[in-house]
mmCIF file of all heavy atoms in Angstrom:
data_model
loop_
_atom_site.group_PDB
_atom_site.id
_atom_site.type_symbol
_atom_site.label_atom_id
_atom_site.label_comp_id
_atom_site.label_asym_id
_atom_site.label_seq_id
_atom_site.Cartn_x
_atom_site.Cartn_y
_atom_site.Cartn_z
ATOM 1 N N LEU A 172 118.276 33.864 106.120
ATOM 2 C CA LEU A 172 118.680 33.201 107.387
ATOM 3 C C LEU A 172 120.063 32.600 107.241
ATOM 4 O O LEU A 172 120.884 32.698 108.147
ATOM 5 C CB LEU A 172 117.644 32.105 107.739
ATOM 6 C CG LEU A 172 116.309 32.678 108.315
ATOM 7 C CD1 LEU A 172 115.272 31.582 108.320
ATOM 8 C CD2 LEU A 172 116.500 33.249 109.659
ATOM 9 N N ILE A 173 120.336 31.959 106.132
ATOM 10 C CA ILE A 173 121.705 31.383 105.921
ATOM 11 C C ILE A 173 122.749 32.502 105.841
ATOM 12 O O ILE A 173 123.779 32.411 106.458
ATOM 13 C CB ILE A 173 121.728 30.524 104.643
ATOM 14 C CG1 ILE A 173 120.867 29.284 104.868
ATOM 15 C CG2 ILE A 173 123.134 30.145 104.251
ATOM 16 C CD1 ILE A 173 120.547 28.507 103.597
ATOM 17 N N LYS A 174 122.406 33.602 105.237
ATOM 18 C CA LYS A 174 123.308 34.746 105.172
ATOM 19 C C LYS A 174 123.540 35.300 106.537
ATOM 20 O O LYS A 174 124.663 35.760 106.860
ATOM 21 C CB LYS A 174 122.680 35.836 104.201
ATOM 22 C CG LYS A 174 123.674 36.983 103.897
ATOM 23 C CD LYS A 174 124.769 36.474 103.169
ATOM 24 C CE LYS A 174 125.681 37.630 102.726
ATOM 25 N NZ LYS A 174 126.951 37.195 102.097
ATOM 26 N N HIS A 175 122.519 35.283 107.398
ATOM 27 C CA HIS A 175 122.707 35.696 108.765
ATOM 28 C C HIS A 175 123.753 34.844 109.489
ATOM 29 O O HIS A 175 124.653 35.383 110.201
ATOM 30 C CB HIS A 175 121.351 35.625 109.547
ATOM 31 C CG HIS A 175 121.454 35.802 111.005
ATOM 32 N ND1 HIS A 175 121.758 36.982 111.563
ATOM 33 C CD2 HIS A 175 121.299 34.870 112.009
ATOM 34 C CE1 HIS A 175 121.838 36.828 112.903
ATOM 35 N NE2 HIS A 175 121.512 35.620 113.141
ATOM 36 N N VAL A 176 123.723 33.609 109.238
ATOM 37 C CA VAL A 176 124.741 32.712 109.881
ATOM 38 C C VAL A 176 126.127 33.080 109.362
ATOM 39 O O VAL A 176 127.047 33.202 110.134
ATOM 40 C CB VAL A 176 124.440 31.190 109.552
ATOM 41 C CG1 VAL A 176 125.498 30.347 110.064
ATOM 42 C CG2 VAL A 176 123.025 30.819 110.186
ATOM 43 N N GLU A 177 126.192 33.283 108.054
ATOM 44 C CA GLU A 177 127.531 33.603 107.443
ATOM 45 C C GLU A 177 128.002 34.988 107.993
ATOM 46 O O GLU A 177 129.211 35.107 108.271
ATOM 47 C CB GLU A 177 127.330 33.705 105.954
ATOM 48 C CG GLU A 177 127.070 32.348 105.304
ATOM 49 C CD GLU A 177 126.664 32.384 103.860
ATOM 50 O OE1 GLU A 177 126.670 33.489 103.296
ATOM 51 O OE2 GLU A 177 126.388 31.321 103.339
ATOM 52 N N LEU A 178 127.159 35.945 108.147
ATOM 53 C CA LEU A 178 127.559 37.243 108.699
ATOM 54 C C LEU A 178 127.923 37.145 110.154
ATOM 55 O O LEU A 178 128.891 37.782 110.560
ATOM 56 C CB LEU A 178 126.459 38.268 108.515
ATOM 57 C CG LEU A 178 126.180 38.746 107.103
ATOM 58 C CD1 LEU A 178 124.972 39.630 106.983
ATOM 59 C CD2 LEU A 178 127.435 39.480 106.548
ATOM 60 N N THR A 179 127.296 36.245 110.849
ATOM 61 C CA THR A 179 127.691 36.036 112.279
ATOM 62 C C THR A 179 129.077 35.430 112.313
ATOM 63 O O THR A 179 129.943 35.833 113.132
ATOM 64 C CB THR A 179 126.664 35.082 112.960
ATOM 65 O OG1 THR A 179 125.411 35.677 112.945
ATOM 66 C CG2 THR A 179 127.064 34.774 114.417
ATOM 67 N N ALA A 180 129.345 34.496 111.409
ATOM 68 C CA ALA A 180 130.714 33.906 111.364
ATOM 69 C C ALA A 180 131.753 35.026 111.091
ATOM 70 O O ALA A 180 132.763 35.122 111.750
ATOM 71 C CB ALA A 180 130.771 32.800 110.252
ATOM 72 N N LEU A 181 131.483 35.831 110.098
ATOM 73 C CA LEU A 181 132.346 36.914 109.697
ATOM 74 C C LEU A 181 132.540 37.867 110.860
ATOM 75 O O LEU A 181 133.737 38.225 111.158
ATOM 76 C CB LEU A 181 131.802 37.646 108.524
ATOM 77 C CG LEU A 181 132.649 38.777 107.902
ATOM 78 C CD1 LEU A 181 133.890 38.138 107.261
ATOM 79 C CD2 LEU A 181 131.829 39.535 106.818
ATOM 80 N N ASN A 182 131.507 38.240 111.557
ATOM 81 C CA ASN A 182 131.670 39.189 112.643
ATOM 82 C C ASN A 182 132.397 38.640 113.875
ATOM 83 O O ASN A 182 132.929 39.326 114.714
ATOM 84 C CB ASN A 182 130.265 39.637 113.083
ATOM 85 C CG ASN A 182 129.621 40.568 112.064
ATOM 86 O OD1 ASN A 182 130.296 41.192 111.265
ATOM 87 N ND2 ASN A 182 128.257 40.628 112.056
ATOM 88 N N HIS A 183 132.451 37.320 113.987
ATOM 89 C CA HIS A 183 133.166 36.663 115.082
ATOM 90 C C HIS A 183 134.503 36.065 114.648
ATOM 91 O O HIS A 183 135.086 35.202 115.336
ATOM 92 C CB HIS A 183 132.224 35.594 115.757
ATOM 93 C CG HIS A 183 131.152 36.216 116.520
ATOM 94 N ND1 HIS A 183 129.964 36.508 115.950
ATOM 95 C CD2 HIS A 183 131.042 36.598 117.806
ATOM 96 C CE1 HIS A 183 129.147 37.050 116.835
ATOM 97 N NE2 HIS A 183 129.802 37.112 118.010
ATOM 98 N N ASN A 184 134.900 36.461 113.439
ATOM 99 C CA ASN A 184 136.196 35.970 112.899
ATOM 100 C C ASN A 184 136.296 34.455 112.808
ATOM 101 O O ASN A 184 137.332 33.848 113.061
ATOM 102 C CB ASN A 184 137.361 36.574 113.679
ATOM 103 C CG ASN A 184 138.656 36.504 112.896
ATOM 104 O OD1 ASN A 184 138.656 36.689 111.682
ATOM 105 N ND2 ASN A 184 139.781 36.335 113.593
ATOM 106 N N ILE A 185 135.134 33.836 112.440
ATOM 107 C CA ILE A 185 135.055 32.363 112.268
ATOM 108 C C ILE A 185 135.125 32.191 110.788
ATOM 109 O O ILE A 185 134.378 32.801 109.979
ATOM 110 C CB ILE A 185 133.796 31.750 112.842
ATOM 111 C CG1 ILE A 185 133.822 32.061 114.380
ATOM 112 C CG2 ILE A 185 133.636 30.300 112.534
ATOM 113 C CD1 ILE A 185 132.475 31.708 115.107
ATOM 114 N N LYS A 186 136.040 31.371 110.307
ATOM 115 C CA LYS A 186 136.461 31.251 108.951
ATOM 116 C C LYS A 186 135.520 30.389 108.022
ATOM 117 O O LYS A 186 135.765 30.284 106.837
ATOM 118 C CB LYS A 186 137.883 30.798 108.779
ATOM 119 C CG LYS A 186 138.836 31.727 109.551
ATOM 120 C CD LYS A 186 138.888 33.135 109.016
ATOM 121 C CE LYS A 186 139.894 33.966 109.695
ATOM 122 N NZ LYS A 186 139.829 35.320 109.362
ATOM 123 N N ALA A 187 134.549 29.645 108.595
ATOM 124 C CA ALA A 187 133.751 28.787 107.769
ATOM 125 C C ALA A 187 132.394 28.471 108.430
ATOM 126 O O ALA A 187 132.275 28.584 109.678
ATOM 127 C CB ALA A 187 134.492 27.486 107.503
ATOM 128 N N VAL A 188 131.469 28.063 107.530
ATOM 129 C CA VAL A 188 130.181 27.509 108.014
ATOM 130 C C VAL A 188 130.098 26.149 107.394
ATOM 131 O O VAL A 188 130.424 25.947 106.200
ATOM 132 C CB VAL A 188 129.022 28.367 107.485
ATOM 133 C CG1 VAL A 188 127.645 27.768 107.795
ATOM 134 C CG2 VAL A 188 129.082 29.790 108.082
ATOM 135 N N GLU A 189 129.693 25.104 108.201
ATOM 136 C CA GLU A 189 129.497 23.830 107.767
ATOM 137 C C GLU A 189 128.089 23.371 108.098
ATOM 138 O O GLU A 189 127.487 23.843 109.047
ATOM 139 C CB GLU A 189 130.544 22.825 108.401
ATOM 140 C CG GLU A 189 131.927 23.054 107.912
ATOM 141 C CD GLU A 189 132.879 22.012 108.398
ATOM 142 O OE1 GLU A 189 132.483 20.948 108.983
ATOM 143 O OE2 GLU A 189 134.117 22.225 108.184
ATOM 144 N N LEU A 190 127.616 22.433 107.258
ATOM 145 C CA LEU A 190 126.264 21.878 107.420
ATOM 146 C C LEU A 190 126.218 20.495 106.811
ATOM 147 O O LEU A 190 127.105 20.141 106.059
ATOM 148 C CB LEU A 190 125.201 22.757 106.818
ATOM 149 C CG LEU A 190 125.318 23.019 105.343
ATOM 150 C CD1 LEU A 190 124.455 22.076 104.540
ATOM 151 C CD2 LEU A 190 124.928 24.435 105.032
ATOM 152 N N TYR A 191 125.189 19.734 107.084
ATOM 153 C CA TYR A 191 124.875 18.533 106.380
ATOM 154 C C TYR A 191 123.451 18.494 106.027
ATOM 155 O O TYR A 191 122.657 19.127 106.665
ATOM 156 C CB TYR A 191 125.369 17.308 107.127
ATOM 157 C CG TYR A 191 124.690 17.061 108.436
ATOM 158 C CD1 TYR A 191 123.377 16.548 108.573
ATOM 159 C CD2 TYR A 191 125.352 17.426 109.644
ATOM 160 C CE1 TYR A 191 122.782 16.326 109.725
ATOM 161 C CE2 TYR A 191 124.745 17.185 110.851
ATOM 162 C CZ TYR A 191 123.433 16.651 110.913
ATOM 163 O OH TYR A 191 122.881 16.514 112.094
ATOM 164 N N THR A 192 123.121 17.708 105.019
ATOM 165 C CA THR A 192 121.701 17.489 104.625
ATOM 166 C C THR A 192 121.548 15.976 104.250
ATOM 167 O O THR A 192 122.537 15.354 103.919
ATOM 168 C CB THR A 192 121.314 18.421 103.512
ATOM 169 O OG1 THR A 192 119.924 18.325 103.242
ATOM 170 C CG2 THR A 192 122.042 18.039 102.207
ATOM 171 N N ASN A 193 120.340 15.584 104.388
ATOM 172 C CA ASN A 193 120.049 14.207 103.995
ATOM 173 C C ASN A 193 120.164 14.046 102.492
ATOM 174 O O ASN A 193 119.693 14.935 101.763
ATOM 175 C CB ASN A 193 118.672 13.816 104.492
ATOM 176 C CG ASN A 193 118.338 12.401 104.310
ATOM 177 O OD1 ASN A 193 118.521 11.794 103.272
ATOM 178 N ND2 ASN A 193 117.851 11.753 105.371
ATOM 179 N N GLU A 194 120.800 13.010 102.000
ATOM 180 C CA GLU A 194 120.951 12.851 100.569
ATOM 181 C C GLU A 194 119.578 12.771 99.854
ATOM 182 O O GLU A 194 119.526 13.104 98.662
ATOM 183 C CB GLU A 194 121.759 11.563 100.260
ATOM 184 C CG GLU A 194 123.212 11.599 100.534
ATOM 185 C CD GLU A 194 123.958 10.408 100.161
ATOM 186 O OE1 GLU A 194 123.348 9.386 99.653
ATOM 187 O OE2 GLU A 194 125.186 10.379 100.355
ATOM 188 N N ALA A 195 118.569 12.419 100.559
ATOM 189 C CA ALA A 195 117.227 12.367 99.952
ATOM 190 C C ALA A 195 116.654 13.749 99.659
ATOM 191 O O ALA A 195 115.708 13.911 98.852
ATOM 192 C CB ALA A 195 116.259 11.593 100.822
ATOM 193 N N MET A 196 117.219 14.775 100.244
ATOM 194 C CA MET A 196 116.833 16.138 100.051
ATOM 195 C C MET A 196 117.517 16.719 98.829
ATOM 196 O O MET A 196 118.380 17.556 98.924
ATOM 197 C CB MET A 196 117.045 16.988 101.331
ATOM 198 C CG MET A 196 116.541 16.398 102.568
ATOM 199 S SD MET A 196 114.763 16.488 102.664
ATOM 200 C CE MET A 196 114.577 17.936 103.599
ATOM 201 N N THR A 197 117.067 16.263 97.679
ATOM 202 C CA THR A 197 117.752 16.606 96.422
ATOM 203 C C THR A 197 117.703 18.110 96.143
ATOM 204 O O THR A 197 118.694 18.598 95.546
ATOM 205 C CB THR A 197 117.173 15.839 95.259
ATOM 206 O OG1 THR A 197 115.720 16.115 95.169
ATOM 207 C CG2 THR A 197 117.368 14.349 95.395
ATOM 208 N N GLU A 198 116.713 18.803 96.532
ATOM 209 C CA GLU A 198 116.676 20.286 96.370
ATOM 210 C C GLU A 198 117.822 20.909 97.145
ATOM 211 O O GLU A 198 118.446 21.849 96.620
ATOM 212 C CB GLU A 198 115.332 20.865 96.814
ATOM 213 C CG GLU A 198 114.168 20.488 95.902
ATOM 214 C CD GLU A 198 112.906 21.123 96.407
ATOM 215 O OE1 GLU A 198 112.927 22.027 97.295
ATOM 216 O OE2 GLU A 198 111.798 20.699 95.875
ATOM 217 N N ASN A 199 118.109 20.423 98.331
ATOM 218 C CA ASN A 199 119.251 20.998 99.113
ATOM 219 C C ASN A 199 120.572 20.724 98.427
ATOM 220 O O ASN A 199 121.447 21.532 98.474
ATOM 221 C CB ASN A 199 119.233 20.425 100.513
ATOM 222 C CG ASN A 199 118.095 20.885 101.391
ATOM 223 O OD1 ASN A 199 117.347 21.824 101.004
ATOM 224 N ND2 ASN A 199 117.943 20.274 102.503
ATOM 225 N N LEU A 200 120.691 19.516 97.902
ATOM 226 C CA LEU A 200 121.947 19.168 97.243
ATOM 227 C C LEU A 200 122.288 20.060 96.104
ATOM 228 O O LEU A 200 123.485 20.271 95.816
ATOM 229 C CB LEU A 200 121.888 17.689 96.778
ATOM 230 C CG LEU A 200 121.721 16.648 97.786
ATOM 231 C CD1 LEU A 200 121.615 15.252 97.144
ATOM 232 C CD2 LEU A 200 122.912 16.626 98.795
ATOM 233 N N SER A 201 121.310 20.677 95.434
ATOM 234 C CA SER A 201 121.587 21.584 94.336
ATOM 235 C C SER A 201 121.568 23.049 94.824
ATOM 236 O O SER A 201 122.274 23.919 94.244
ATOM 237 C CB SER A 201 120.621 21.432 93.219
ATOM 238 O OG SER A 201 119.241 21.693 93.669
ATOM 239 N N MET A 202 120.868 23.321 95.930
ATOM 240 C CA MET A 202 120.763 24.679 96.445
ATOM 241 C C MET A 202 122.056 25.187 97.070
ATOM 242 O O MET A 202 122.536 26.320 96.829
ATOM 243 C CB MET A 202 119.639 24.814 97.442
ATOM 244 C CG MET A 202 119.469 26.263 98.013
ATOM 245 S SD MET A 202 118.368 26.347 99.407
ATOM 246 C CE MET A 202 119.247 25.432 100.631
ATOM 247 N N TYR A 203 122.680 24.312 97.957
ATOM 248 C CA TYR A 203 123.757 24.831 98.740
ATOM 249 C C TYR A 203 124.950 25.152 97.876
ATOM 250 O O TYR A 203 125.607 26.161 98.100
ATOM 251 C CB TYR A 203 124.144 23.812 99.829
ATOM 252 C CG TYR A 203 123.193 23.806 100.984
ATOM 253 C CD1 TYR A 203 122.420 22.719 101.324
ATOM 254 C CD2 TYR A 203 123.000 24.996 101.721
ATOM 255 C CE1 TYR A 203 121.526 22.776 102.394
ATOM 256 C CE2 TYR A 203 122.142 25.080 102.795
ATOM 257 C CZ TYR A 203 121.402 23.949 103.084
ATOM 258 O OH TYR A 203 120.453 23.989 104.134
ATOM 259 N N PRO A 204 125.254 24.447 96.766
ATOM 260 C CA PRO A 204 126.385 24.833 95.909
ATOM 261 C C PRO A 204 126.069 26.216 95.245
ATOM 262 O O PRO A 204 127.020 27.044 95.063
ATOM 263 C CB PRO A 204 126.464 23.744 94.853
ATOM 264 C CG PRO A 204 125.932 22.541 95.583
ATOM 265 C CD PRO A 204 124.834 23.023 96.484
ATOM 266 N N LYS A 205 124.808 26.502 94.937
ATOM 267 C CA LYS A 205 124.504 27.798 94.406
ATOM 268 C C LYS A 205 124.749 28.964 95.409
ATOM 269 O O LYS A 205 124.913 30.080 94.958
ATOM 270 C CB LYS A 205 123.039 27.810 93.971
ATOM 271 C CG LYS A 205 122.770 26.919 92.730
ATOM 272 C CD LYS A 205 121.285 26.929 92.367
ATOM 273 C CE LYS A 205 121.032 25.948 91.267
ATOM 274 N NZ LYS A 205 119.580 25.745 91.001
ATOM 275 N N LEU A 206 124.751 28.616 96.663
ATOM 276 C CA LEU A 206 125.036 29.626 97.701
ATOM 277 C C LEU A 206 126.496 29.673 98.111
ATOM 278 O O LEU A 206 126.882 30.311 99.042
ATOM 279 C CB LEU A 206 124.186 29.291 98.918
ATOM 280 C CG LEU A 206 122.658 29.421 98.747
ATOM 281 C CD1 LEU A 206 121.949 28.959 100.022
ATOM 282 C CD2 LEU A 206 122.220 30.824 98.316
ATOM 283 N N GLY A 207 127.331 28.857 97.328
ATOM 284 C CA GLY A 207 128.777 28.963 97.562
ATOM 285 C C GLY A 207 129.308 27.879 98.439
ATOM 286 O O GLY A 207 130.511 27.806 98.816
ATOM 287 N N TYR A 208 128.463 26.858 98.823
ATOM 288 C CA TYR A 208 128.933 25.726 99.670
ATOM 289 C C TYR A 208 129.474 24.613 98.797
ATOM 290 O O TYR A 208 129.007 24.369 97.722
ATOM 291 C CB TYR A 208 127.731 25.235 100.498
ATOM 292 C CG TYR A 208 127.382 26.206 101.637
ATOM 293 C CD1 TYR A 208 126.599 27.308 101.380
ATOM 294 C CD2 TYR A 208 127.853 26.036 102.896
ATOM 295 C CE1 TYR A 208 126.306 28.249 102.377
ATOM 296 C CE2 TYR A 208 127.598 26.862 103.921
ATOM 297 C CZ TYR A 208 126.792 28.028 103.636
ATOM 298 O OH TYR A 208 126.510 28.876 104.656
ATOM 299 N N ILE A 209 130.566 24.003 99.298
ATOM 300 C CA ILE A 209 131.229 22.950 98.570
ATOM 301 C C ILE A 209 131.022 21.673 99.356
ATOM 302 O O ILE A 209 131.300 21.572 100.566
ATOM 303 C CB ILE A 209 132.714 23.226 98.477
ATOM 304 C CG1 ILE A 209 132.975 24.542 97.614
ATOM 305 C CG2 ILE A 209 133.483 22.098 97.906
ATOM 306 C CD1 ILE A 209 134.316 25.085 97.641
ATOM 307 N N GLU A 210 130.567 20.638 98.675
ATOM 308 C CA GLU A 210 130.371 19.361 99.275
ATOM 309 C C GLU A 210 131.769 18.721 99.497
ATOM 310 O O GLU A 210 132.608 18.648 98.575
ATOM 311 C CB GLU A 210 129.542 18.448 98.374
ATOM 312 C CG GLU A 210 129.285 17.130 98.966
ATOM 313 C CD GLU A 210 128.418 16.249 98.136
ATOM 314 O OE1 GLU A 210 127.585 16.677 97.338
ATOM 315 O OE2 GLU A 210 128.581 14.979 98.277
ATOM 316 N N PHE A 211 132.008 18.213 100.726
ATOM 317 C CA PHE A 211 133.336 17.647 101.027
ATOM 318 C C PHE A 211 133.262 16.235 101.481
ATOM 319 O O PHE A 211 134.239 15.534 101.605
ATOM 320 C CB PHE A 211 134.104 18.521 102.007
ATOM 321 C CG PHE A 211 133.515 18.562 103.407
ATOM 322 C CD1 PHE A 211 133.812 17.608 104.358
ATOM 323 C CD2 PHE A 211 132.610 19.599 103.739
ATOM 324 C CE1 PHE A 211 133.316 17.710 105.637
ATOM 325 C CE2 PHE A 211 132.090 19.671 105.053
ATOM 326 C CZ PHE A 211 132.456 18.696 105.994
ATOM 327 N N GLU A 212 132.050 15.674 101.733
ATOM 328 C CA GLU A 212 131.927 14.317 102.227
ATOM 329 C C GLU A 212 130.493 13.788 102.129
ATOM 330 O O GLU A 212 129.569 14.600 102.266
ATOM 331 C CB GLU A 212 132.459 14.202 103.675
ATOM 332 C CG GLU A 212 132.458 12.857 104.249
ATOM 333 C CD GLU A 212 133.029 12.830 105.665
ATOM 334 O OE1 GLU A 212 133.047 13.869 106.415
ATOM 335 O OE2 GLU A 212 133.476 11.693 106.115
ATOM 336 N N ARG A 213 130.331 12.484 101.909
ATOM 337 C CA ARG A 213 129.090 11.828 102.081
ATOM 338 C C ARG A 213 129.315 10.581 102.902
ATOM 339 O O ARG A 213 130.340 9.846 102.724
ATOM 340 C CB ARG A 213 128.506 11.407 100.721
ATOM 341 C CG ARG A 213 127.959 12.595 99.991
ATOM 342 C CD ARG A 213 127.087 12.150 98.818
ATOM 343 N NE ARG A 213 126.756 13.323 98.009
ATOM 344 C CZ ARG A 213 125.659 13.395 97.288
ATOM 345 N NH1 ARG A 213 124.839 12.409 97.162
ATOM 346 N NH2 ARG A 213 125.427 14.453 96.548
ATOM 347 N N LYS A 214 128.447 10.365 103.854
ATOM 348 C CA LYS A 214 128.606 9.153 104.691
ATOM 349 C C LYS A 214 127.277 8.827 105.337
ATOM 350 O O LYS A 214 126.340 9.697 105.430
ATOM 351 C CB LYS A 214 129.710 9.332 105.772
ATOM 352 C CG LYS A 214 129.439 10.374 106.793
ATOM 353 C CD LYS A 214 130.621 10.464 107.731
ATOM 354 C CE LYS A 214 130.391 11.558 108.714
ATOM 355 N NZ LYS A 214 131.578 11.721 109.681
ATOM 356 N N PHE A 215 127.162 7.577 105.844
ATOM 357 C CA PHE A 215 126.030 7.074 106.585
ATOM 358 C C PHE A 215 126.309 7.425 108.079
ATOM 359 O O PHE A 215 127.339 7.010 108.580
ATOM 360 C CB PHE A 215 125.819 5.650 106.371
ATOM 361 C CG PHE A 215 124.604 5.057 106.999
ATOM 362 C CD1 PHE A 215 123.380 5.247 106.425
ATOM 363 C CD2 PHE A 215 124.686 4.363 108.176
ATOM 364 C CE1 PHE A 215 122.188 4.817 107.019
ATOM 365 C CE2 PHE A 215 123.533 3.881 108.790
ATOM 366 C CZ PHE A 215 122.305 4.050 108.215
ATOM 367 N N GLU A 216 125.394 8.202 108.697
ATOM 368 C CA GLU A 216 125.638 8.636 110.064
ATOM 369 C C GLU A 216 124.291 8.738 110.783
ATOM 370 O O GLU A 216 123.287 9.308 110.235
ATOM 371 C CB GLU A 216 126.305 10.005 110.041
ATOM 372 C CG GLU A 216 126.582 10.587 111.415
ATOM 373 C CD GLU A 216 127.235 11.955 111.300
ATOM 374 O OE1 GLU A 216 126.504 12.904 110.915
ATOM 375 O OE2 GLU A 216 128.402 12.039 111.568
ATOM 376 N N ASP A 217 124.197 8.143 111.947
ATOM 377 C CA ASP A 217 122.961 8.214 112.755
ATOM 378 C C ASP A 217 121.748 7.773 112.038
ATOM 379 O O ASP A 217 120.632 8.308 112.185
ATOM 380 C CB ASP A 217 122.766 9.651 113.305
ATOM 381 C CG ASP A 217 123.886 10.082 114.252
ATOM 382 O OD1 ASP A 217 124.469 9.220 114.915
ATOM 383 O OD2 ASP A 217 124.170 11.287 114.256
ATOM 384 N N GLY A 218 121.928 6.779 111.134
ATOM 385 C CA GLY A 218 120.779 6.172 110.415
ATOM 386 C C GLY A 218 120.392 6.881 109.172
ATOM 387 O O GLY A 218 119.344 6.522 108.566
#
């Protein structure tokens, strides 16, 4: 499903995919870098 989003970006000449995850979701924090995502910020937002 994530690859589908990336291919959609590629097919529409969109140069990046961004996302956020809750810091408590530690599995996500390690999974996204394995998929090529780079963490660029951490902040408190919307609680």
Side-chain angles (χ1 to χ4, degrees):
L172 286 165
I173 293 168
K174 188 66 173 173
H175 168 70
V176 175
E177 294 169 2
L178 289 172
T179 300
L181 184 66
N182 290 336
H183 289 86
N184 202 32
I185 298 171
K186 303 297 184 191
V188 175
E189 291 188 7
L190 62 95
Y191 60 80
T192 188
N193 190 309
E194 286 183 359
M196 307 289 265
T197 56
E198 289 180 14
N199 289 352
L200 295 177
S201 62
M202 177 192 68
Y203 287 117
K205 291 176 184 171
L206 297 176
Y208 287 80
I209 297 169
E210 183 178 332
F211 67 88
E212 183 176 21
R213 286 195 188 205
K214 66 181 175 180
F215 186 77
E216 179 182 72
D217 297 329

